[in-house]
Amino acid sequence: MMPQKCWGLVILLVMASIKAASAGDAPPRDVVACDTLVHLRVLMGRTPSDSAAATADLSGHPGCRRIARDRVGAPEHRAMIGGTPFECLAVTEEASCLWIMP
């Protein structure tokens, strides 16, 4: 009975290490960030419910860009427009906060 418990423990440890390794290798997800809330609203206005299409349309919006999610920090400003909340979040290596697409 004791060897079976040892094998169970070994299997659990191996599974945990595989999961931790795969999580560490995953690239950070990007978010869409804009310098002003106006830039973000214009971008969202072209593709109101499709964030993937809005992300693909970034080349036509000089005030917006993709940034790594791990650079995003705490909210500095908040706004509510038409029942939708927007936040200007602190971003490392940026002079001011950026408005992040919800």
Side-chain angles (χ1 to χ4, degrees), residues 37-99:
L37 183 54
V38 172
H39 284 122
L40 180 60
R41 294 289 294 153
V42 168
L43 176 66
M44 291 177 66
R46 291 194 180 172
T47 54
S49 62
D50 189 3
S51 62
T55 301
D57 191 33
L58 283 177
S59 62
H61 298 276
C64 299
R65 59 194 171 278
R66 296 174 62 93
I67 60 169
R69 183 177 296 278
D70 61 355
R71 292 180 53 206
V72 177
E76 291 185 6
H77 303 289
R78 290 190 170 112
M80 182 77 75
I81 299 175
T84 303
F86 295 92
E87 292 184 325
C88 190
L89 303 174
V91 177
T92 57
E93 301 173 9
E94 294 289 336
S96 62
C97 65
L98 297 176
W99 293 90

Side-chain angles (χ1 to χ4, degrees), residues 5-23:
K5 287 184 181 180
C6 288
W7 277 111
L9 181 59
V10 169
I11 291 171
L12 286 175
L13 290 173
V14 168
M15 289 174 60
S17 66
I18 290 172
K19 184 176 180 181
S22 66

